[in-house]
Every structure is written in structure tokens, then in C-alpha cells.
Amino acid sequence: MNDLLHKLVSAVITGTLIALVGYLSVAVRRRRVAREEAAAPAPVEDRSQTLLRQGHQLDHSRDELAAAGRQAEALAQAREAADVWRELTRLRPGRFHAERREALDRLSELLAATGQEQQAAQVRQEAAGLS
């Protein structure tokens, strides 16, 4: 019986030590990874990704302002959005033409709604050139 108790206590102590070593190993590894991540330089975002996010935000803001009847502010957002989509199509030829066309269409609508027919016609002509 004494031998059985000895083996049981020995197994419990061994298991506890293995678990403790495993825990300490994971904790040390986590600290090392955290230090390495903190020391690593921040990733540099591609300019087109920044512009893409900005274009979507401006489109959303433009539509919200127009729906709220704030035409002058919506028009300013529409102009800025059109500029962003122009830049994106310049940076990534062959991409974002549909988004640029949509931004130009919304800009021409807002220009026409504010009585700026000549500018609206110019913007519609630019949008038609994208087809």
C-alpha cells in the first residue's frame, strides 16, 4: 500500500511539474512575441487602399447629406469623392471605372440640382467617356 501511495504522489508531482513548465513556456513565448510585435515597424498602407477607403466614406457622406437636404455640403463631398475616384483610376488603370462613373453621375445630379447646368454637363460628358 505504501508503494502504491508513493507512485500516486510521484505521478501527481510529475504531472504538476509538467503543467507548470508548459505554462511558463507559453508565458515566456507570449512575452517574446509581444516584444517582437512592439519592436516591428508599423505596416505601410498602400496609397490606393487609403484612397479607396476615403472614396467609400465620401460617397456615403455625400448620400447622407443629400438625403438630409444639405445640398451645398453634399455637393462639396461629391466633388471630393469624384477627385478621389479620379486619382484611384489614375493609380490603378483599368480599375474603379464603375465607381468613378457613379461618383461623377451623383456629382452631375447635385450640380444640376443647384442650378450649375454647365458644370453638370461637363461632368456628365466625363462620365460618358468612361463607358
Side-chain angles (χ1 to χ4, degrees), residues 64-128:
E64 283 187 345
L65 290 167
R70 297 165 56 186
Q71 298 300 323
E73 293 169 89
L75 181 57
Q77 294 291 301
R79 287 181 197 276
E80 195 172 344
D83 289 342
V84 166
W85 291 112
R86 280 185 194 105
E87 178 68 11
L88 272 166
T89 55
R90 188 189 66 72
L91 285 175
R92 298 277 176 100
R95 305 242 355 241
F96 306 115
H97 288 289
E99 293 87 348
R100 180 178 172 190
R101 190 177 315 109
E102 183 181 330
L104 291 170
D105 288 342
R106 292 291 289 139
L107 175 58
S108 71
E109 290 170 10
L110 289 167
L111 285 167
T114 58
Q116 300 176 51
E117 288 297 330
Q118 186 177 6
Q119 288 181 340
Q122 290 172 343
V123 171
R124 278 191 296 273
Q125 189 175 21
E126 179 183 348

